[in-house]
Amino acid sequence: MAANLKTAPARPYDVARVRADFPILATTVHGHPLAYLDSAASSQRPRAVLQAIEDYETHSHANVHRGVHALSQAATAAFEGARERVRRFINASSVREVIFVRGTTEGINLVAQSYARPSLRPGDEILISALEHHANIVPWQMVCEQTGAVLKVAPINRRGELEFEAYLKLLSPRTRIVGVAHVSNALGTILPVQRIIEAAHAAGAVVVVDGAQAVPHIPVDVQALGADFYAFSGHKLYGPTGIGVLYGREQLLRAMPPWQGGGDMILTVSFEKTTYNELPYRLEAGTPNISGAVGLAAAMDYVEGLGIEAIAAHEHRLLQQATAELLRIPGIELIGTAAAKASVLSFTMKGVHPHDLGTILDSQGVAVRTGHHCAMPVMTFFGVPATARASFGCYNDESDIAALVRGLNKVREVFG
Amino acid sequence: MQLQDLYRDLILDHNRHPRNFGRLGAPARQALGHNPLCGDQLTVFVRLEGEKLADVRFEGSGCAISTASASLMTEAVKGKDRATVGALYDQVHALLTEDGAQPDASLGKLAALSGVREFPARVKCATLCWHTLNAALGEGSATVSTE
Ligand SMILES: Cc1ncc(COP(=O)(O)O)c(C=O)c1O
């Protein structure tokens, strides 16, 4: 992770102040202070995001792109302002490249149905990695069924890293699309997306990056990466649920047929012929999630206020400390030990099913995710039915790690 | 919410040393139960003699609650007839899901599962084996899922 830090944080990271920004962290759970270690599933929202949504709903709401009245204009300004905020956050070259969607899942499905489906021919290949979230597997399987294209999978090693040489070997003139996670949600692995993209482009393939777990932890510059498509979700970036972004290179988006029809995506409609709107509206049918976009923009302001590098450095310290402390507990095995890792600690405890572990931790106020993390092929690869996963966000601190360790000792106590 | 009500000694013991663990060959009936949420998976085997469950075994992998529940279930239903097993199923279901349900003496060791009710996320773990047994005894699909 440290390799990703461009600049050292200007001032010391004040985690106590960050914690105070998140009202939910004051919750007690079963009589214990909440130790929220499940940000990889969904992060919490700072007051600034809640406030921005409330302000919008209180003072500016109407439908967008429709009315001449004052509120409609205010709503449109808020919504389009949010789009510009997103553009800057990921350094897209134009707001026409920022498509609002429900989340990562919808973004990838949009690419699969609107870019891949019309262009793939039988025998064409889609190449993904073995550590993908189901959201970056199933849409491709569906499009393979629809087009006769073939899904190929680049393997990972026992540390949970992409086997880069094997990936290169799988690239061929038949490879039309490469789909990879920027950061694995189940293992925490940071993938070398820039090198992956360079190789894919050299082979003539287009790359779709699943950035759901990357945007909260890594500065993302879609132009520097060279990504053709980049999808992420607001709710993992301290923003609301139901809003996400699909970035796409304009040249590719322009050639894509709309994937849903309705209002907003048209210029003119008659029963004989309909003409479609410009980008990005052509790919956004229907009334969008306006307050969600406003909340997401506020979340991006918040993250940039803290500094994404500063957040990443803080989380990296926590990850290292938690890793060291967990390894001291008998029977703990880490799943995912890549050299480059972000904010995720997946593990099992010998003789204890992760589900039981999760219940006992919950009884101590410690929220972790247990299960297959929507990455069943990863579980199969490591030969486990499930893992427990602690994941860190900008607001976690040593007290959360201490609570986790206490909780795991409690698990040992119960299961002897 | 009391952890020691969930993980009673009897539950932990049946998790560590599940009874009637293993397979039964044909002509025994079998059904597969699956809880996609946590990956629990178990197969229940039943050999019927007329209306009687002459032998019952199970195998699979799961959490302590699902393993112990399956182990306790096999002990409780072995040698009983279908009607008795059906009544037992209803009792266990009530115990696991109905507020204030008190274990009846006829439940025997199964009463140890009463603590599960306080942990709503875990009720499905305890009921999976019973649904699976039902499927094995029934005519319909031989695969059940909690979702
Ligand atoms: C790597 C990865 N991809 C995709 C998703 C799906 O995101 P969403 O459910 O917000 O669409 C997730 C969320 O769990 C994820 O971690």
Side-chain angles (χ1 to χ4, degrees):
Chain A
M1 186 81 227
N4 286 294
L5 306 183
K6 289 187 196 131
T7 50
R11 51 201 146 72
Y13 191 83
D14 188 351
V15 69
R17 266 187 54 195
V18 174
R19 290 176 79 82
D21 290 337
F22 288 80
I24 206 168
L25 296 181
T27 309
T28 56
V29 172
H30 309 308
H32 298 269
L34 168 66
Y36 190 75
L37 292 169
D38 197 18
S39 295
S42 197
S43 56
Q44 300 297 347
R45 297 118 183 70
R47 204 172 275 105
V49 168
L50 303 174
Q51 192 62 51
I53 295 169
E54 189 179 330
D55 285 351
Y56 167 78
E57 299 286 11
T58 310
H59 302 295
S60 308
H61 175 67
N63 211 327
V64 289
H65 308 141
R66 280 171 174 78
V68 295
H69 63 76
L71 284 183
S72 177
Q73 290 179 30
T76 304
F79 186 63
E80 293 307 323
R83 197 189 305 276
E84 165 58 20
R85 185 69 193 84
V86 172
R87 186 203 66 73
R88 272 191 287 132
F89 194 80
I90 58 173
N91 192 34
S93 58
S94 150
V95 286
R96 290 185 297 280
E97 299 184 321
V98 176
I99 314 295
F100 281 121
V101 289
R102 274 196 302 136
T104 311
T105 304
E106 190 173 71
I108 296 172
N109 276 280
L110 196 166
V111 178
Q113 289 303 311
S114 183
Y115 175 79
R117 190 175 180 183
S119 66
L120 292 181
R121 299 286 166 265
D124 283 349
E125 292 174 3
I126 299 172
L127 177 56
I128 62 174
S129 89
L131 55 64
E132 299 307 315
H133 186 281
H134 296 164
N136 206 20
I137 302 174
V138 184
W140 303 121
Q141 290 174 325
M142 290 164 65
V143 92
C144 283
E145 240 165 65
Q146 290 158 341
T147 62
V150 180
L151 189 67
K152 299 275 177 174
V153 182
I156 54 174
N157 64 25
R158 298 303 298 175
R159 290 188 300 276
E161 297 162 323
L162 179 69
E163 294 267 26
F164 201 78
E165 291 304 315
Y167 162 70
L168 293 179
K169 285 212 185 78
L170 282 163
L171 278 173
S172 84
R174 304 240 64 170
T175 313
R176 301 288 314 284
I177 293 169
V178 170
V180 282
H182 196 165
V183 172
S184 151
N185 67 309
L187 304 167
T189 313
I190 302 175
L191 282 88
V193 274
Q194 198 160 344
R195 286 165 59 213
I196 290 170
I197 291 170
E198 276 165 18
H201 284 173
V206 153
V207 183
V208 186
V209 182
D210 171 353
Q213 296 294 340
V215 283
H217 310 295
I218 296 176
V220 171
D221 178 332
V222 289
Q223 296 188 71
L225 287 175
D228 298 296
F229 296 100
Y230 196 102
F232 62 95
S233 304
H235 69 97
K236 296 183 199 281
L237 184 66
Y238 313 107
T241 54
I243 188 77
V245 172
L246 173 68
Y247 159 83
R249 275 201 298 119
E250 187 169 353
Q251 187 200 347
L252 296 172
L253 293 177
R254 217 182 300 130
M256 283 159 57
W259 84 304
Q260 290 181 336
D264 250 4
M265 53 74 72
I266 50 82
L267 284 180
T268 62
V269 175
S270 72
F271 289 115
E272 290 70 40
K273 182 165 174 57
T274 290
T275 56
Y276 299 132
N277 204 340
E278 299 295 307
L279 286 174
Y281 313 110
R282 193 159 54 81
L283 294 168
E284 292 179 354
T287 301
N289 181 355
I290 311 167
S291 67
V294 168
L296 176 58
M300 290 178 168
D301 286 342
Y302 182 80
V303 166
E304 283 195 355
L306 296 180
I308 188 113
E309 285 94 351
I311 295 173
H314 171 72
E315 291 168 345
H316 190 66
R317 277 193 300 276
L318 292 179
L319 181 66
Q320 284 183 315
Q321 186 193 335
T323 303
E325 296 207 20
L326 255 59
L327 286 174
R328 277 203 289 275
I329 300 172
I332 294 273
E333 189 187 343
L334 299 185
I335 307 289
T337 49
K341 255 184 95 168
S343 277
V344 164
L345 200 53
S346 236
F347 60 93
T348 57
M349 188 185 258
K350 196 167 160 37
V352 185
H353 192 280
H355 211 184
D356 294 307
L357 192 148
T359 291
I360 297 174
L361 289 183
D362 177 60
S363 77
Q364 312 296 304
V366 180
V368 298
R369 172 94 183 259
T370 58
H372 53 61
H373 316 293
C374 298
M376 285 179 154
V378 174
M379 301 296 114
T380 306
F381 176 78
F382 285 98
V384 293
T387 73
R389 179 188 72 187
S391 56
F392 304 103
C394 64
Y395 35 64
N396 289 113
D397 68 2
E398 278 85 9
S399 74
D400 297 319
I401 298 176
L404 174 64
V405 170
R406 270 199 310 279
L408 290 173
N409 285 323
K410 179 86 186 172
V411 175
R412 281 258 69 94
E413 199 182 299
V414 172
F415 275 83
Chain B
M1 191 174 107
Q2 291 298 323
L3 266 189
Q4 57 270 35
D5 280 350
L6 183 64
Y7 296 110
R8 294 181 187 171
D9 288 344
L10 188 71
I11 302 276
L12 292 170
D13 176 53
H14 275 256
N15 173 49
R16 218 167 287 135
H17 310 289
R19 321 296 200 267
N20 300 308
F21 193 81
R23 311 173 66 86
L24 286 176
R29 295 154 169 256
Q30 67 178 72
L32 176 70
H34 184 218
N35 181 346
L37 213 63
C38 47
D40 288 358
Q41 193 158 317
L42 57 87
T43 308
V44 173
F45 303 86
V46 190
R47 187 165 57 77
L48 282 174
E49 280 172 10
E51 283 297 287
K52 197 173 86 174
L53 282 66
D55 202 359
V56 183
R57 296 176 78 79
F58 82 104
E59 67 172 19
S61 76
C63 64
I65 304 303
S66 77
T67 303
S69 180
S71 171
L72 288 164
M73 177 188 79
T74 57
E75 282 194 335
V77 302
K78 210 156 141 176
K80 305 250 167 52
D81 61 34
R82 276 170 179 268
T84 312
V85 169
L88 211 48
Y89 171 90
D90 292 340
Q91 267 183 288
V92 171
H93 202 264
L95 182 70
L96 289 171
T97 58
E98 282 168 27
D99 270 350
Q102 288 301 320
D104 185 286
S106 65
L107 270 177
K109 286 187 200 169
L110 290 170
L113 291 167
S114 64
V116 177
R117 195 173 59 226
E118 300 306 316
F119 296 78
R122 306 305 301 277
V123 168
K124 282 176 178 169
C125 307
T127 53
L128 178 64
C129 59
W130 288 92
H131 291 306
T132 311
L133 173 64
N134 239 4
L137 290 172
E139 303 296 325
S141 150
T143 299
V144 296
S145 167
T146 58
E147 297 304 304

